[in-house]
Amino acid sequence: MIIETYTPEETFELGRKIGAEAKPGQLYTLIGDLGVGKTVLTQGVAAGLGITEPISSPTFTIIQEYETGRLPFYHFDVYRIGDVEEMEEIGYNDYFFGTGISLVEWANIIEEILPEHYTQITIEKDLEKGFDYRRITIEEI
C-alpha cells in the first residue's frame, strides 16, 4: 500500500491510525533517511495507542519503553548499533515477541535478526511535490 501525505499532520494521522489498529506482538520497521518524518509517524503511532507522554527518538539509548497506552510500545532506534550482538544484550526477543508492539527505526541495519513476518514502513521525500510531501509505503513482509 502506498500513501501520500503533504503535511506533518497527515503523516502523524497515518501513524495514529496504525497505532489504533495495532495488535499485540506486531513489529513495524521504519525505513527512511534522516529528517524524512520517522519521528512524526512514530508520535502518531504512540497517540493511536493512547500514549500521551512526549515521544522522541531513542538514538542514544536504542530503546524507549512506553507502558501507559492500551498496549506496551517499544520504540527502537538502531542507527548506532555496531553489531547485532548489541541487540542480544538488550534482550530484543522479549520485545519483538512480547505482548506489546515494537517499532524499529533503521531496521535494515539488523535485518538478520528480524522475525519472518513484520510490517515494513518506508518513508521517502520528493521535493518536486513539496517540502512536506512524503511517499509512505507499507508492506507486509
Side-chain angles (χ1 to χ4, degrees):
M1 169 180 6
I2 295 173
I3 297 148
E4 296 178 305
T5 64
Y6 293 88
T7 66
E9 293 79 17
E10 288 178 355
T11 301
F12 179 93
E13 184 57 28
L14 173 61
R16 190 202 60 72
K17 183 179 178 191
I18 290 168
E21 295 173 0
K23 295 182 177 31
Q26 283 190 295
L27 172 69
Y28 299 90
T29 63
L30 195 48
I31 309 295
D33 292 334
L34 288 170
V36 80
K38 294 184 300 292
T39 300
V40 170
L41 186 90
T42 301
Q43 290 167 338
V45 171
L49 289 167
I51 297 167
T52 57
E53 61 191 282
I55 305 296
S56 60
S57 191
T59 302
F60 296 101
T61 58
I62 299 178
I63 182 170
Q64 290 280 11
E65 298 180 40
Y66 303 94
E67 303 282 344
T68 59
R70 68 176 179 84
L71 293 170
F73 179 43
Y74 309 118
H75 178 201
F76 291 82
D77 182 333
V78 299
Y79 184 75
R80 298 193 184 285
I81 290 283
D83 190 308
V84 181
E85 287 180 16
E86 292 178 56
M87 292 297 288
E88 295 279 352
E89 292 171 12
I90 61 173
Y92 78 92
N93 275 317
D94 294 337
Y95 299 104
F96 287 9
F97 301 104
T99 58
I101 73 161
S102 296
L103 186 143
V104 183
E105 295 187 36
W106 302 100
N108 50 311
I109 293 172
I110 60 162
E111 268 182 334
E112 64 222 54
I113 63 167
L114 292 176
E116 188 176 343
H117 300 288
Y118 57 91
T119 302
Q120 180 171 290
I121 302 170
T122 305
I123 305 176
E124 301 167 293
K125 289 182 183 184
D126 183 345
L127 293 177
E128 291 182 14
K129 293 187 176 185
F131 181 77
D132 290 325
Y133 171 86
R134 299 297 183 265
R135 181 178 193 262
I136 303 169
T137 306
I138 302 173
E139 47 192 331
E140 298 300 321
I141 306 291

mmCIF file of all heavy atoms in Angstrom, residues 81-125:
data_model
loop_
_atom_site.group_PDB
_atom_site.id
_atom_site.type_symbol
_atom_site.label_atom_id
_atom_site.label_comp_id
_atom_site.label_asym_id
_atom_site.label_seq_id
_atom_site.Cartn_x
_atom_site.Cartn_y
_atom_site.Cartn_z
ATOM 1 N N ILE A 81 23.748 1.021 16.280
ATOM 2 C CA ILE A 81 24.141 -0.368 16.564
ATOM 3 C C ILE A 81 25.344 -0.713 15.691
ATOM 4 O O ILE A 81 25.295 -0.582 14.468
ATOM 5 C CB ILE A 81 22.980 -1.349 16.263
ATOM 6 C CG1 ILE A 81 21.867 -1.182 17.284
ATOM 7 C CG2 ILE A 81 23.458 -2.790 16.206
ATOM 8 C CD1 ILE A 81 22.124 -1.806 18.616
ATOM 9 N N GLY A 82 26.430 -1.149 16.316
ATOM 10 C CA GLY A 82 27.612 -1.519 15.562
ATOM 11 C C GLY A 82 27.626 -2.989 15.209
ATOM 12 O O GLY A 82 28.214 -3.404 14.216
ATOM 13 N N ASP A 83 26.954 -3.799 16.032
ATOM 14 C CA ASP A 83 26.946 -5.241 15.847
ATOM 15 C C ASP A 83 25.609 -5.771 16.355
ATOM 16 O O ASP A 83 25.112 -5.320 17.391
ATOM 17 C CB ASP A 83 28.102 -5.865 16.642
ATOM 18 C CG ASP A 83 28.314 -7.325 16.306
ATOM 19 O OD1 ASP A 83 27.329 -8.087 16.358
ATOM 20 O OD2 ASP A 83 29.464 -7.699 16.003
ATOM 21 N N VAL A 84 25.055 -6.729 15.663
ATOM 22 C CA VAL A 84 23.751 -7.287 16.036
ATOM 23 C C VAL A 84 23.771 -7.857 17.457
ATOM 24 O O VAL A 84 22.744 -7.890 18.125
ATOM 25 C CB VAL A 84 23.319 -8.363 15.013
ATOM 26 C CG1 VAL A 84 21.972 -8.933 15.355
ATOM 27 C CG2 VAL A 84 23.265 -7.760 13.623
ATOM 28 N N GLU A 85 24.940 -8.248 17.940
ATOM 29 C CA GLU A 85 25.041 -8.777 19.298
ATOM 30 C C GLU A 85 24.581 -7.768 20.344
ATOM 31 O O GLU A 85 24.117 -8.149 21.418
ATOM 32 C CB GLU A 85 26.477 -9.224 19.591
ATOM 33 C CG GLU A 85 26.856 -10.495 18.865
ATOM 34 C CD GLU A 85 28.277 -10.934 19.157
ATOM 35 O OE1 GLU A 85 28.884 -10.445 20.134
ATOM 36 O OE2 GLU A 85 28.780 -11.780 18.397
ATOM 37 N N GLU A 86 24.673 -6.483 20.025
ATOM 38 C CA GLU A 86 24.179 -5.452 20.941
ATOM 39 C C GLU A 86 22.676 -5.600 21.159
ATOM 40 O O GLU A 86 22.169 -5.311 22.241
ATOM 41 C CB GLU A 86 24.506 -4.062 20.411
ATOM 42 C CG GLU A 86 25.992 -3.735 20.412
ATOM 43 C CD GLU A 86 26.274 -2.365 19.831
ATOM 44 O OE1 GLU A 86 25.708 -1.364 20.333
ATOM 45 O OE2 GLU A 86 27.052 -2.296 18.859
ATOM 46 N N MET A 87 21.970 -6.046 20.145
ATOM 47 C CA MET A 87 20.529 -6.278 20.281
ATOM 48 C C MET A 87 20.276 -7.457 21.210
ATOM 49 O O MET A 87 19.317 -7.456 21.979
ATOM 50 C CB MET A 87 19.891 -6.513 18.911
ATOM 51 C CG MET A 87 19.867 -5.302 18.016
ATOM 52 S SD MET A 87 18.881 -3.937 18.673
ATOM 53 C CE MET A 87 17.224 -4.591 18.456
ATOM 54 N N GLU A 88 21.124 -8.464 21.133
ATOM 55 C CA GLU A 88 21.026 -9.607 22.053
ATOM 56 C C GLU A 88 21.173 -9.129 23.495
ATOM 57 O O GLU A 88 20.443 -9.559 24.382
ATOM 58 C CB GLU A 88 22.113 -10.652 21.744
ATOM 59 C CG GLU A 88 21.986 -11.321 20.399
ATOM 60 C CD GLU A 88 20.973 -12.457 20.370
ATOM 61 O OE1 GLU A 88 20.462 -12.845 21.440
ATOM 62 O OE2 GLU A 88 20.691 -12.938 19.263
ATOM 63 N N GLU A 89 22.120 -8.225 23.714
ATOM 64 C CA GLU A 89 22.398 -7.724 25.055
ATOM 65 C C GLU A 89 21.215 -6.988 25.660
ATOM 66 O O GLU A 89 21.022 -7.025 26.873
ATOM 67 C CB GLU A 89 23.633 -6.812 25.039
ATOM 68 C CG GLU A 89 24.919 -7.560 24.754
ATOM 69 C CD GLU A 89 26.109 -6.632 24.515
ATOM 70 O OE1 GLU A 89 25.996 -5.409 24.782
ATOM 71 O OE2 GLU A 89 27.141 -7.131 24.040
ATOM 72 N N ILE A 90 20.425 -6.318 24.834
ATOM 73 C CA ILE A 90 19.262 -5.621 25.388
ATOM 74 C C ILE A 90 18.012 -6.497 25.390
ATOM 75 O O ILE A 90 16.955 -6.056 25.826
ATOM 76 C CB ILE A 90 18.976 -4.285 24.665
ATOM 77 C CG1 ILE A 90 18.672 -4.493 23.190
ATOM 78 C CG2 ILE A 90 20.105 -3.310 24.850
ATOM 79 C CD1 ILE A 90 18.233 -3.238 22.489
ATOM 80 N N GLY A 91 18.151 -7.731 24.953
ATOM 81 C CA GLY A 91 17.034 -8.674 25.010
ATOM 82 C C GLY A 91 15.923 -8.384 24.024
ATOM 83 O O GLY A 91 14.742 -8.443 24.354
ATOM 84 N N TYR A 92 16.305 -8.117 22.789
ATOM 85 C CA TYR A 92 15.310 -7.738 21.772
ATOM 86 C C TYR A 92 14.186 -8.761 21.622
ATOM 87 O O TYR A 92 13.050 -8.404 21.319
ATOM 88 C CB TYR A 92 15.983 -7.484 20.414
ATOM 89 C CG TYR A 92 16.341 -8.736 19.659
ATOM 90 C CD1 TYR A 92 15.451 -9.284 18.741
ATOM 91 C CD2 TYR A 92 17.558 -9.390 19.866
ATOM 92 C CE1 TYR A 92 15.772 -10.444 18.053
ATOM 93 C CE2 TYR A 92 17.878 -10.539 19.177
ATOM 94 C CZ TYR A 92 16.981 -11.062 18.276
ATOM 95 O OH TYR A 92 17.290 -12.210 17.593
ATOM 96 N N ASN A 93 14.483 -10.046 21.830
ATOM 97 C CA ASN A 93 13.451 -11.085 21.687
ATOM 98 C C ASN A 93 12.256 -10.837 22.597
ATOM 99 O O ASN A 93 11.113 -11.081 22.214
ATOM 100 C CB ASN A 93 14.030 -12.475 21.973
ATOM 101 C CG ASN A 93 14.675 -13.080 20.761
ATOM 102 O OD1 ASN A 93 14.141 -13.016 19.660
ATOM 103 N ND2 ASN A 93 15.844 -13.664 20.955
ATOM 104 N N ASP A 94 12.531 -10.370 23.817
ATOM 105 C CA ASP A 94 11.446 -10.103 24.760
ATOM 106 C C ASP A 94 10.513 -9.024 24.235
ATOM 107 O O ASP A 94 9.316 -9.033 24.516
ATOM 108 C CB ASP A 94 12.007 -9.680 26.121
ATOM 109 C CG ASP A 94 12.765 -10.795 26.804
ATOM 110 O OD1 ASP A 94 12.516 -11.981 26.492
ATOM 111 O OD2 ASP A 94 13.619 -10.487 27.666
ATOM 112 N N TYR A 95 11.060 -8.090 23.476
ATOM 113 C CA TYR A 95 10.257 -7.009 22.907
ATOM 114 C C TYR A 95 9.570 -7.460 21.616
ATOM 115 O O TYR A 95 8.360 -7.298 21.461
ATOM 116 C CB TYR A 95 11.131 -5.780 22.637
ATOM 117 C CG TYR A 95 11.769 -5.209 23.870
ATOM 118 C CD1 TYR A 95 13.119 -5.423 24.136
ATOM 119 C CD2 TYR A 95 11.021 -4.463 24.771
ATOM 120 C CE1 TYR A 95 13.713 -4.891 25.271
ATOM 121 C CE2 TYR A 95 11.606 -3.931 25.910
ATOM 122 C CZ TYR A 95 12.952 -4.148 26.158
ATOM 123 O OH TYR A 95 13.527 -3.624 27.284
ATOM 124 N N PHE A 96 10.350 -8.016 20.683
ATOM 125 C CA PHE A 96 9.814 -8.398 19.381
ATOM 126 C C PHE A 96 8.731 -9.456 19.491
ATOM 127 O O PHE A 96 7.812 -9.499 18.683
ATOM 128 C CB PHE A 96 10.922 -8.934 18.469
ATOM 129 C CG PHE A 96 11.867 -7.893 17.926
ATOM 130 C CD1 PHE A 96 11.864 -6.581 18.370
ATOM 131 C CD2 PHE A 96 12.774 -8.236 16.944
ATOM 132 C CE1 PHE A 96 12.743 -5.638 17.869
ATOM 133 C CE2 PHE A 96 13.663 -7.306 16.415
ATOM 134 C CZ PHE A 96 13.651 -5.999 16.886
ATOM 135 N N PHE A 97 8.844 -10.343 20.464
ATOM 136 C CA PHE A 97 7.902 -11.455 20.583
ATOM 137 C C PHE A 97 7.063 -11.363 21.850
ATOM 138 O O PHE A 97 6.538 -12.356 22.330
ATOM 139 C CB PHE A 97 8.665 -12.789 20.525
ATOM 140 C CG PHE A 97 9.439 -12.949 19.248
ATOM 141 C CD1 PHE A 97 10.819 -12.774 19.229
ATOM 142 C CD2 PHE A 97 8.792 -13.230 18.061
ATOM 143 C CE1 PHE A 97 11.544 -12.903 18.044
ATOM 144 C CE2 PHE A 97 9.499 -13.357 16.869
ATOM 145 C CZ PHE A 97 10.879 -13.195 16.862
ATOM 146 N N GLY A 98 6.933 -10.149 22.394
ATOM 147 C CA GLY A 98 6.161 -9.933 23.610
ATOM 148 C C GLY A 98 4.720 -9.563 23.322
ATOM 149 O O GLY A 98 4.197 -9.784 22.226
ATOM 150 N N THR A 99 4.090 -8.939 24.302
ATOM 151 C CA THR A 99 2.670 -8.613 24.196
ATOM 152 C C THR A 99 2.417 -7.177 23.753
ATOM 153 O O THR A 99 1.277 -6.774 23.582
ATOM 154 C CB THR A 99 1.966 -8.833 25.552
ATOM 155 O OG1 THR A 99 2.617 -8.017 26.535
ATOM 156 C CG2 THR A 99 2.015 -10.287 25.959
ATOM 157 N N GLY A 100 3.491 -6.415 23.556
ATOM 158 C CA GLY A 100 3.339 -5.048 23.082
ATOM 159 C C GLY A 100 3.575 -4.965 21.596
ATOM 160 O O GLY A 100 3.572 -5.977 20.885
ATOM 161 N N ILE A 101 3.769 -3.731 21.101
ATOM 162 C CA ILE A 101 4.177 -3.573 19.709
ATOM 163 C C ILE A 101 5.556 -2.938 19.689
ATOM 164 O O ILE A 101 5.912 -2.150 20.561
ATOM 165 C CB ILE A 101 3.165 -2.771 18.861
ATOM 166 C CG1 ILE A 101 3.193 -1.296 19.194
ATOM 167 C CG2 ILE A 101 1.780 -3.322 18.978
ATOM 168 C CD1 ILE A 101 2.589 -0.453 18.097
ATOM 169 N N SER A 102 6.344 -3.318 18.701
ATOM 170 C CA SER A 102 7.687 -2.780 18.532
ATOM 171 C C SER A 102 7.755 -2.023 17.220
ATOM 172 O O SER A 102 7.221 -2.473 16.206
ATOM 173 C CB SER A 102 8.725 -3.912 18.504
ATOM 174 O OG SER A 102 8.763 -4.592 19.730
ATOM 175 N N LEU A 103 8.419 -0.878 17.265
ATOM 176 C CA LEU A 103 8.681 -0.102 16.068
ATOM 177 C C LEU A 103 10.187 0.134 16.028
ATOM 178 O O LEU A 103 10.759 0.631 16.997
ATOM 179 C CB LEU A 103 7.927 1.229 16.102
ATOM 180 C CG LEU A 103 8.031 2.054 14.834
ATOM 181 C CD1 LEU A 103 6.711 2.755 14.552
ATOM 182 C CD2 LEU A 103 9.151 3.065 14.906
ATOM 183 N N VAL A 104 10.821 -0.255 14.924
ATOM 184 C CA VAL A 104 12.275 -0.213 14.815
ATOM 185 C C VAL A 104 12.695 0.714 13.685
ATOM 186 O O VAL A 104 12.461 0.415 12.510
ATOM 187 C CB VAL A 104 12.864 -1.626 14.574
ATOM 188 C CG1 VAL A 104 14.385 -1.562 14.550
ATOM 189 C CG2 VAL A 104 12.363 -2.616 15.609
ATOM 190 N N GLU A 105 13.305 1.847 14.059
ATOM 191 C CA GLU A 105 13.874 2.745 13.059
ATOM 192 C C GLU A 105 15.224 2.206 12.605
ATOM 193 O O GLU A 105 15.973 1.668 13.402
ATOM 194 C CB GLU A 105 14.063 4.148 13.644
ATOM 195 C CG GLU A 105 12.771 4.837 14.007
ATOM 196 C CD GLU A 105 12.989 6.281 14.433
ATOM 197 O OE1 GLU A 105 13.877 6.957 13.860
ATOM 198 O OE2 GLU A 105 12.282 6.726 15.344
ATOM 199 N N TRP A 106 15.528 2.358 11.320
ATOM 200 C CA TRP A 106 16.787 1.903 10.718
ATOM 201 C C TRP A 106 16.905 0.374 10.786
ATOM 202 O O TRP A 106 17.988 -0.180 10.928
ATOM 203 C CB TRP A 106 18.009 2.554 11.374
ATOM 204 C CG TRP A 106 17.993 4.045 11.297
ATOM 205 C CD1 TRP A 106 17.612 4.897 12.299
ATOM 206 C CD2 TRP A 106 18.317 4.871 10.179
ATOM 207 N NE1 TRP A 106 17.696 6.195 11.853
ATOM 208 C CE2 TRP A 106 18.127 6.213 10.562
ATOM 209 C CE3 TRP A 106 18.759 4.592 8.886
ATOM 210 C CZ2 TRP A 106 18.366 7.273 9.702
ATOM 211 C CZ3 TRP A 106 18.989 5.656 8.029
ATOM 212 C CH2 TRP A 106 18.792 6.981 8.439
ATOM 213 N N ALA A 107 15.800 -0.318 10.662
ATOM 214 C CA ALA A 107 15.769 -1.777 10.825
ATOM 215 C C ALA A 107 16.635 -2.507 9.806
ATOM 216 O O ALA A 107 17.025 -3.648 10.048
ATOM 217 C CB ALA A 107 14.330 -2.285 10.751
ATOM 218 N N ASN A 108 16.950 -1.875 8.688
ATOM 219 C CA ASN A 108 17.804 -2.535 7.698
ATOM 220 C C ASN A 108 19.177 -2.885 8.282
ATOM 221 O O ASN A 108 19.838 -3.800 7.808
ATOM 222 C CB ASN A 108 17.956 -1.669 6.447
ATOM 223 C CG ASN A 108 18.350 -0.245 6.748
ATOM 224 O OD1 ASN A 108 17.741 0.413 7.608
ATOM 225 N ND2 ASN A 108 19.344 0.266 6.059
ATOM 226 N N ILE A 109 19.579 -2.215 9.348
ATOM 227 C CA ILE A 109 20.866 -2.484 9.998
ATOM 228 C C ILE A 109 20.851 -3.841 10.714
ATOM 229 O O ILE A 109 21.880 -4.485 10.845
ATOM 230 C CB ILE A 109 21.211 -1.341 10.985
ATOM 231 C CG1 ILE A 109 21.465 -0.053 10.199
ATOM 232 C CG2 ILE A 109 22.412 -1.700 11.868
ATOM 233 C CD1 ILE A 109 21.625 1.191 11.055
ATOM 234 N N ILE A 110 19.673 -4.270 11.156
ATOM 235 C CA ILE A 110 19.566 -5.520 11.918
ATOM 236 C C ILE A 110 18.701 -6.551 11.193
ATOM 237 O O ILE A 110 18.099 -7.414 11.825
ATOM 238 C CB ILE A 110 19.020 -5.267 13.345
ATOM 239 C CG1 ILE A 110 17.625 -4.627 13.293
ATOM 240 C CG2 ILE A 110 20.001 -4.419 14.158
ATOM 241 C CD1 ILE A 110 16.851 -4.728 14.573
ATOM 242 N N GLU A 111 18.667 -6.478 9.879
ATOM 243 C CA GLU A 111 17.817 -7.372 9.076
ATOM 244 C C GLU A 111 17.933 -8.843 9.460
ATOM 245 O O GLU A 111 16.946 -9.562 9.483
ATOM 246 C CB GLU A 111 18.152 -7.231 7.593
ATOM 247 C CG GLU A 111 17.316 -6.217 6.891
ATOM 248 C CD GLU A 111 17.652 -6.137 5.411
ATOM 249 O OE1 GLU A 111 18.781 -6.458 5.011
ATOM 250 O OE2 GLU A 111 16.753 -5.737 4.654
ATOM 251 N N GLU A 112 19.142 -9.285 9.765
ATOM 252 C CA GLU A 112 19.345 -10.713 10.016
ATOM 253 C C GLU A 112 18.635 -11.238 11.254
ATOM 254 O O GLU A 112 18.441 -12.440 11.377
ATOM 255 C CB GLU A 112 20.837 -11.028 10.086
ATOM 256 C CG GLU A 112 21.531 -10.347 11.251
ATOM 257 C CD GLU A 112 22.879 -9.781 10.864
ATOM 258 O OE1 GLU A 112 22.949 -9.016 9.901
ATOM 259 O OE2 GLU A 112 23.851 -10.121 11.545
ATOM 260 N N ILE A 113 18.216 -10.348 12.163
ATOM 261 C CA ILE A 113 17.512 -10.839 13.365
ATOM 262 C C ILE A 113 16.023 -10.512 13.353
ATOM 263 O O ILE A 113 15.322 -10.826 14.309
ATOM 264 C CB ILE A 113 18.165 -10.317 14.671
ATOM 265 C CG1 ILE A 113 18.075 -8.799 14.755
ATOM 266 C CG2 ILE A 113 19.589 -10.838 14.804
ATOM 267 C CD1 ILE A 113 18.409 -8.237 16.128
ATOM 268 N N LEU A 114 15.549 -9.910 12.275
ATOM 269 C CA LEU A 114 14.116 -9.612 12.201
ATOM 270 C C LEU A 114 13.337 -10.917 12.061
ATOM 271 O O LEU A 114 13.810 -11.861 11.429
ATOM 272 C CB LEU A 114 13.820 -8.689 11.017
ATOM 273 C CG LEU A 114 14.363 -7.270 11.132
ATOM 274 C CD1 LEU A 114 14.085 -6.499 9.839
ATOM 275 C CD2 LEU A 114 13.790 -6.544 12.330
ATOM 276 N N PRO A 115 12.148 -10.956 12.656
ATOM 277 C CA PRO A 115 11.338 -12.173 12.523
ATOM 278 C C PRO A 115 10.913 -12.408 11.074
ATOM 279 O O PRO A 115 11.068 -11.543 10.211
ATOM 280 C CB PRO A 115 10.124 -11.905 13.410
ATOM 281 C CG PRO A 115 10.191 -10.507 13.825
ATOM 282 C CD PRO A 115 11.515 -9.942 13.453
ATOM 283 N N GLU A 116 10.337 -13.556 10.840
ATOM 284 C CA GLU A 116 9.918 -13.926 9.486
ATOM 285 C C GLU A 116 8.848 -12.984 8.943
ATOM 286 O O GLU A 116 8.814 -12.665 7.761
ATOM 287 C CB GLU A 116 9.405 -15.370 9.504
ATOM 288 C CG GLU A 116 9.123 -15.924 8.140
ATOM 289 C CD GLU A 116 8.717 -17.392 8.180
ATOM 290 O OE1 GLU A 116 8.963 -18.069 9.201
ATOM 291 O OE2 GLU A 116 8.156 -17.844 7.176
ATOM 292 N N HIS A 117 7.948 -12.530 9.824
ATOM 293 C CA HIS A 117 6.843 -11.657 9.402
ATOM 294 C C HIS A 117 6.856 -10.353 10.196
ATOM 295 O O HIS A 117 6.970 -10.384 11.424
ATOM 296 C CB HIS A 117 5.496 -12.355 9.594
ATOM 297 C CG HIS A 117 5.374 -13.625 8.818
ATOM 298 N ND1 HIS A 117 5.230 -13.643 7.451
ATOM 299 C CD2 HIS A 117 5.403 -14.917 9.209
ATOM 300 C CE1 HIS A 117 5.169 -14.897 7.040
ATOM 301 N NE2 HIS A 117 5.286 -15.688 8.087
ATOM 302 N N TYR A 118 6.731 -9.239 9.485
ATOM 303 C CA TYR A 118 6.643 -7.922 10.110
ATOM 304 C C TYR A 118 6.075 -6.950 9.077
ATOM 305 O O TYR A 118 5.906 -7.301 7.909
ATOM 306 C CB TYR A 118 8.004 -7.454 10.644
ATOM 307 C CG TYR A 118 9.100 -7.388 9.607
ATOM 308 C CD1 TYR A 118 9.354 -6.220 8.887
ATOM 309 C CD2 TYR A 118 9.899 -8.495 9.343
ATOM 310 C CE1 TYR A 118 10.364 -6.175 7.945
ATOM 311 C CE2 TYR A 118 10.916 -8.455 8.403
ATOM 312 C CZ TYR A 118 11.142 -7.291 7.704
ATOM 313 O OH TYR A 118 12.144 -7.237 6.764
ATOM 314 N N THR A 119 5.785 -5.745 9.523
ATOM 315 C CA THR A 119 5.277 -4.709 8.626
ATOM 316 C C THR A 119 6.385 -3.685 8.404
ATOM 317 O O THR A 119 6.891 -3.103 9.359
ATOM 318 C CB THR A 119 4.043 -4.018 9.241
ATOM 319 O OG1 THR A 119 3.043 -4.999 9.498
ATOM 320 C CG2 THR A 119 3.491 -2.960 8.296
ATOM 321 N N GLN A 120 6.762 -3.509 7.144
ATOM 322 C CA GLN A 120 7.803 -2.540 6.808
ATOM 323 C C GLN A 120 7.162 -1.252 6.313
ATOM 324 O O GLN A 120 6.320 -1.279 5.414
ATOM 325 C CB GLN A 120 8.734 -3.095 5.741
ATOM 326 C CG GLN A 120 9.841 -2.122 5.353
ATOM 327 C CD GLN A 120 10.868 -2.774 4.466
ATOM 328 O OE1 GLN A 120 11.623 -3.619 4.919
ATOM 329 N NE2 GLN A 120 10.883 -2.393 3.202
ATOM 330 N N ILE A 121 7.580 -0.137 6.910
ATOM 331 C CA ILE A 121 7.096 1.181 6.516
ATOM 332 C C ILE A 121 8.293 1.969 5.992
ATOM 333 O O ILE A 121 9.271 2.161 6.705
ATOM 334 C CB ILE A 121 6.452 1.920 7.712
ATOM 335 C CG1 ILE A 121 5.299 1.091 8.297
ATOM 336 C CG2 ILE A 121 5.976 3.311 7.281
ATOM 337 C CD1 ILE A 121 4.768 1.611 9.618
ATOM 338 N N THR A 122 8.214 2.388 4.746
ATOM 339 C CA THR A 122 9.285 3.160 4.121
ATOM 340 C C THR A 122 8.763 4.559 3.827
ATOM 341 O O THR A 122 7.706 4.710 3.209
ATOM 342 C CB THR A 122 9.767 2.486 2.818
ATOM 343 O OG1 THR A 122 10.143 1.138 3.109
ATOM 344 C CG2 THR A 122 10.944 3.224 2.214
ATOM 345 N N ILE A 123 9.504 5.565 4.279
ATOM 346 C CA ILE A 123 9.114 6.965 4.057
ATOM 347 C C ILE A 123 10.144 7.614 3.138
ATOM 348 O O ILE A 123 11.344 7.538 3.389
ATOM 349 C CB ILE A 123 9.030 7.751 5.383
ATOM 350 C CG1 ILE A 123 8.094 7.057 6.376
ATOM 351 C CG2 ILE A 123 8.557 9.180 5.121
ATOM 352 C CD1 ILE A 123 8.043 7.728 7.734
ATOM 353 N N GLU A 124 9.632 8.255 2.087
ATOM 354 C CA GLU A 124 10.507 8.929 1.126
ATOM 355 C C GLU A 124 10.002 10.335 0.853
ATOM 356 O O GLU A 124 8.795 10.573 0.844
ATOM 357 C CB GLU A 124 10.535 8.153 -0.190
ATOM 358 C CG GLU A 124 11.022 6.718 -0.047
ATOM 359 C CD GLU A 124 10.736 5.899 -1.285
ATOM 360 O OE1 GLU A 124 9.547 5.641 -1.575
ATOM 361 O OE2 GLU A 124 11.713 5.544 -1.963
ATOM 362 N N LYS A 125 10.935 11.252 0.616
ATOM 363 C CA LYS A 125 10.614 12.617 0.212
ATOM 364 C C LYS A 125 10.639 12.710 -1.312
ATOM 365 O O LYS A 125 11.289 11.914 -1.965
ATOM 366 C CB LYS A 125 11.677 13.597 0.720
ATOM 367 C CG LYS A 125 11.704 13.843 2.179
ATOM 368 C CD LYS A 125 12.795 14.882 2.458
ATOM 369 C CE LYS A 125 12.957 15.156 3.922
ATOM 370 N NZ LYS A 125 13.945 16.210 4.168
#
